[in-house]
Amino acid sequence: MYLLVNDFSNINWTLRHLLGSINPPLLTNCTPMIEKREYDFVIVGAGPSGLTSAYYLKKLNPSFNILIIERSGTAGGLTGNWIDHRLGKKKKLQPPMHMIFRDKYPNIIKLIGEVGGILSPLYDGYNIITGDGKKHELSMNDWTARHLPPPLHGIGMMAKLKMPLTAKWDILKLACVSAYCAKSMMSGEQEPPLIPNTMSLESLELLLNMGKYSRDFIEAVTPSIYNLHPWYTSAPRMAAVLAGTLVMNRDSLHYHVFGKNYNSAFIDNFVEKLKSMGVNFSFWTEARRIESNSDGTEVESVWVRNYGPDSAESKRYICDNCGAENYLLDRSFCTRCGIDTTLDRMSEIKRPIGNQLWANPKENGYENIKCKKLITAIYPHMIAKLLPTDSPLRKHPYVRSFFSSRGNQTQLSIGRVYYKEQVTRNEKIITGTHNPYLSFNGCQSVYNNFGSDDLDHSGDVIDVLLDVGIIRDSHSKETQIKRVIKDIHRVYPDADPSLIEHISFAEMYPDVLYLSEQPAIAGLHRFFNTHRTGAKNWYVAGCHSGWIGIGMESAVESAMQTVNDIFEDMNKPERTNIEPYHMHPGANIAATIG
């Protein structure tokens, strides 16, 4: 039964407040200038994969001279230290819902232990709301979870699901097939022999004769983990993710999230650690062109454009869409949400750049940084924009695949809603769902989990994550926000709209996401654990090239493997110790049945 929200007067005030313009004082971020013109390694991107690559390179060989360039003002990737300046400097638009599964994410957990980070207590499950409005508890904390071997350890959880027995049988079938997919991929196969990557998870469910209740359940679980509907996810890859979450090990569902905010809980420590090791950073520095030798066998340099607070020419502005701080020079592109407002700001830009970032680097005032080796730790479609049309680097098959890794099917929004008082009754775990019923993939009370010290707020604070590939096209931002408020009220009946003080809301655009064009299946353009590009000194790292293909674990693991590939190509014995992914013997039996 839908709960109706009758009083939108406070919401309308909030929307006006949200969409209004606030001009806070200029921040004192420093833009380190690039001191040298040649480095052993240039790493493009200061997200988890770029930072991890630098860390293990320096750890194995402290003499390496490394430069990390990052086009935004802080490290951390997409959500790193994302502050909504429209609502005050401490209203951070930075959802902490980075779920770190204990058994499935061994390498990032090891890295956090080495670098230093703050993790939440260990959670043993989360809630899922299906299309019929029922809330299901996914948790493994009963007798079966503690004493029965996987996958039987999930019997107690299955028993609590509010669906017919036939639907539970369907989920068991999918669990066995998922274990088969996970085992195949863990053995190094690009795809399981019986399930091609071009098959969607939805198609696999239909082949298994799964009914409407079980498919609806999977349609709720999948976006809450992967941000994509089963229609658009590669069947074996998404099935392997499901197996890692529910089947493979006793603690497969147990997870942490970063404490308070992602940067303060982990990334800030990481950056300071790297600086103490001698790694150089240049923020507000955008890669514009990758230069190679005449036959494309080797990268010679990277052309970059420096802007930001230390540039006399650049002008500060606050993104109307997400509230992030930005600087315009020859274009107006938000480094946080990806929206390009260059045409709107033509009068403020003295000499706007064309669509081809790589064109005329000298005339456009780019700096040339030579590198013995290059690591691009950014998404493939971003790399594609850095290669001139006549670049001999385009002859390499893996490089050519960069140009098909773009699209507009899956675009996300994130929001943070501030309430005057507690509205979630101390509920700490994440609630996931899917778009046909609620407007967001997941929500979580930040206040319940981490308190309010880092939020400059004493009431409740609820983060939401939305997959709005379709919603954005059919609803305005104001309508989306109203839906979020209404749906939070459905999940938490005490969350009366009249109690709202502030809302941070932002849409994320394709230039900051790894996407797949409809009707292609997401994940097809991954490199299948390949980090070499074809140019002997150019490597790629990131979740798109990791073994498991999801989240920060994939980013960290791929960076570690990239470092190992580099040392192997240098004929050096040093290697990072990559933690393997294990399947319980019982899960192996399930894989055989599958």
Side-chain angles (χ1 to χ4, degrees):
M1 186 73 178
Y2 281 49
L3 297 175
L4 299 179
V5 179
N6 297 315
D7 182 7
F8 283 93
S9 60
N10 189 70
I11 297 174
N12 291 332
W13 174 87
T14 304
L15 292 176
R16 290 194 302 271
H17 184 78
L18 168 66
L19 299 174
S21 176
I22 295 178
N23 297 313
L26 182 66
L27 296 185
T28 57
N29 290 3
C30 291
T31 307
M33 301 303 291
I34 300 174
E35 297 180 356
K36 300 182 179 181
R37 288 294 170 264
E38 184 170 356
Y39 291 85
D40 295 322
F41 289 88
V42 169
I43 300 175
V44 180
S49 57
L51 300 178
T52 302
S53 299
Y55 174 72
Y56 284 108
L57 284 170
K58 268 292 193 179
K59 185 176 179 180
L60 294 177
N61 190 331
S63 67
F64 283 151
N65 194 4
I66 301 174
L67 171 68
I68 299 177
I69 63 175
E70 167 59 42
R71 68 182 182 184
S72 65
T74 54
L78 174 61
T79 60
N81 203 27
W82 192 343
I83 299 176
D84 187 349
H85 291 272
R86 297 167 299 181
L87 300 178
K89 65 180 181 180
K90 294 190 73 174
K91 297 293 188 292
K92 295 183 179 180
L93 186 53
Q94 189 179 35
M97 289 189 288
H98 298 275
M99 299 174 73
I100 302 172
F101 294 94
R102 185 162 72 175
D103 277 4
K104 194 168 70 176
Y105 287 12
N107 290 292
I108 189 170
I109 289 178
K110 181 178 73 171
L111 179 66
I112 293 169
E114 293 182 19
V115 173
I118 302 171
L119 291 177
S120 71
L122 187 67
Y123 299 110
D124 56 22
Y126 56 101
N127 293 324
I128 289 291
I129 300 177
T130 46
D132 55 8
K134 294 179 180 178
K135 182 183 287 188
H136 304 264
E137 182 183 354
L138 273 65
S139 63
M140 295 182 183
N141 58 1
D142 56 10
W143 184 90
T144 62
R146 292 190 295 270
H147 297 286
L148 295 182
L152 300 179
H153 70 314
I155 289 178
M157 180 192 70
M158 292 284 289
K160 291 182 287 187
L161 297 180
K162 301 172 184 177
M163 61 178 62
L165 187 60
T166 53
K168 296 178 181 180
W169 170 246
D170 289 342
I171 294 174
L172 179 60
K173 289 189 295 184
L174 181 61
C176 291
V177 173
S178 297
Y180 160 73
C181 293
K183 184 176 181 180
S184 297
M185 293 187 179
M186 288 170 62
S187 68
E189 295 176 343
Q190 291 191 3
E191 63 182 10
L194 302 177
I195 305 178
N197 282 318
T198 49
M199 178 186 291
S200 71
L201 183 62
E202 175 82 359
S203 299
L204 178 60
E205 293 171 17
L206 294 173
L207 287 176
L208 294 175
N209 293 315
M210 294 177 62
K212 64 177 183 179
Y213 291 105
S214 55
R215 286 189 288 116
D216 181 59
F217 178 79
I218 297 301
E219 288 176 14
V221 171
T222 305
S224 70
I225 298 175
Y226 207 62
N227 300 327
L228 284 171
H229 192 280
W231 297 341
Y232 309 119
T233 56
S234 174
R237 299 195 172 279
M238 191 64 228
V241 172
L242 291 173
T245 307
L246 300 174
V247 180
M248 285 172 54
N249 295 288
R250 189 179 305 280
D251 289 336
S252 56
L253 190 60
H254 295 58
Y255 67 93
H256 300 275
V257 292
F258 279 117
K260 296 188 178 179
N261 281 290
Y262 173 43
N263 274 64
S264 59
F266 177 51
I267 293 298
D268 293 347
N269 288 344
F270 206 169
V271 171
E272 290 307 312
K273 177 70 173 179
L274 290 173
K275 288 181 178 179
S276 70
M277 297 171 72
V279 175
N280 303 281
F281 285 84
S282 184
F283 295 104
W284 298 117
T285 302
E286 185 178 37
R288 293 287 180 88
R289 177 182 175 119
I290 297 175
E291 205 76 73
S292 74
N293 58 4
S294 59
D295 59 4
T297 58
E298 188 173 1
V299 168
E300 294 183 339
S301 64
V302 180
W303 291 89
V304 302
R305 187 65 151 125
N306 186 267
Y307 57 115
D310 286 352
S311 173
E313 299 178 70
S314 60
K315 181 179 179 180
R316 180 179 183 266
Y317 74 95
I318 302 302
C319 177
D320 295 333
N321 172 65
C322 72
E325 177 189 44
N326 286 279
Y327 292 83
L328 61 84
L329 187 61
D330 53 10
R331 68 172 180 154
S332 175
F333 172 80
C334 182
T335 60
R336 291 306 182 198
C337 71
I339 187 171
D340 190 340
T341 59
T342 299
L343 293 178
D344 298 335
R345 298 180 177 275
M346 287 289 287
S347 61
E348 302 175 65
I349 301 175
K350 295 180 180 179
R351 185 183 176 188
I353 193 172
N355 293 328
Q356 299 171 331
L357 297 180
W358 45 262
N360 305 316
K362 291 183 180 179
E363 293 85 342
N364 286 319
Y366 300 172
E367 298 179 64
N368 188 257
I369 310 299
K370 295 188 180 298
C371 56
K372 295 178 181 177
K373 288 181 171 57
L374 172 68
I375 299 175
T376 46
I378 55 179
Y379 289 121
H381 63 280
M382 297 179 183
I383 304 172
K385 296 180 180 181
L386 310 182
L387 299 175
T389 52
D390 60 350
S391 172
L393 292 171
R394 293 191 179 212
K395 70 179 183 180
H396 303 297
Y398 289 118
V399 173
R400 286 201 299 269
S401 73
F402 298 162
F403 293 86
S404 60
S405 300
R406 65 185 185 275
N408 57 10
Q409 180 261 315
T410 302
Q411 301 172 357
L412 302 182
S413 289
I414 58 176
R416 175 167 282 179
V417 185
Y418 297 81
Y419 291 85
K420 298 176 183 177
E421 59 189 54
Q422 270 289 295
V423 297
T424 53
R425 300 182 184 180
N426 296 318
E427 182 176 307
K428 292 187 176 182
I429 62 177
I430 293 174
T431 295
T433 182
H434 70 337
N435 283 323
Y437 182 67
L438 298 180
S439 62
F440 46 77
N441 291 352
C443 63
Q444 179 191 38
S445 169
V446 183
Y447 182 89
N448 290 346
N449 286 277
F450 310 114
S452 61
D453 293 345
D454 213 31
L455 296 168
D456 192 26
H457 187 76
S458 57
D460 216 335
V461 181
I462 299 177
D463 281 346
V464 295
L465 176 67
L466 297 82
D467 170 11
V468 292
I470 298 173
I471 294 176
R472 174 182 296 161
D473 294 337
S474 57
H475 299 295
S476 66
K477 180 184 289 188
E478 294 89 339
T479 301
Q480 292 182 58
I481 294 172
K482 288 180 181 179
R483 290 190 63 190
V484 167
I485 295 170
K486 187 174 181 179
D487 289 341
I488 291 178
H489 197 184
R490 291 172 180 163
V491 178
Y492 304 111
D494 293 342
D496 192 291
S498 65
L499 297 175
I500 294 175
E501 287 192 351
H502 297 290
I503 298 174
S504 294
F505 187 85
E507 297 175 330
M508 292 181 276
Y509 287 76
D511 276 320
V512 294
L513 290 173
Y514 177 58
L515 304 172
S516 139
E517 189 79 42
Q518 273 183 310
I521 304 300
L524 292 187
H525 305 304
R526 286 165 37 75
F527 307 125
F528 306 113
N529 210 34
T530 298
H531 308 281
R532 298 175 174 93
T533 60
K536 65 181 182 180
N537 65 337
W538 179 17
Y539 302 82
V540 295
C543 60
H544 54 275
S545 58
W547 190 263
I548 64 173
I550 182 173
M552 290 180 291
E553 169 66 15
S554 186
V556 168
E557 179 270 323
S558 75
M560 297 172 72
Q561 186 59 55
T562 297
V563 171
N564 285 347
D565 290 349
I566 289 171
F567 279 97
E568 180 180 324
D569 292 346
M570 295 174 66
N571 295 316
K572 302 286 187 180
E574 295 88 349
R575 298 291 186 274
T576 65
N577 181 26
I578 300 176
E579 297 292 331
Y581 307 112
H582 297 289
M583 288 186 71
H584 188 279
N588 274 309
I589 296 174
T592 303
I593 296 172

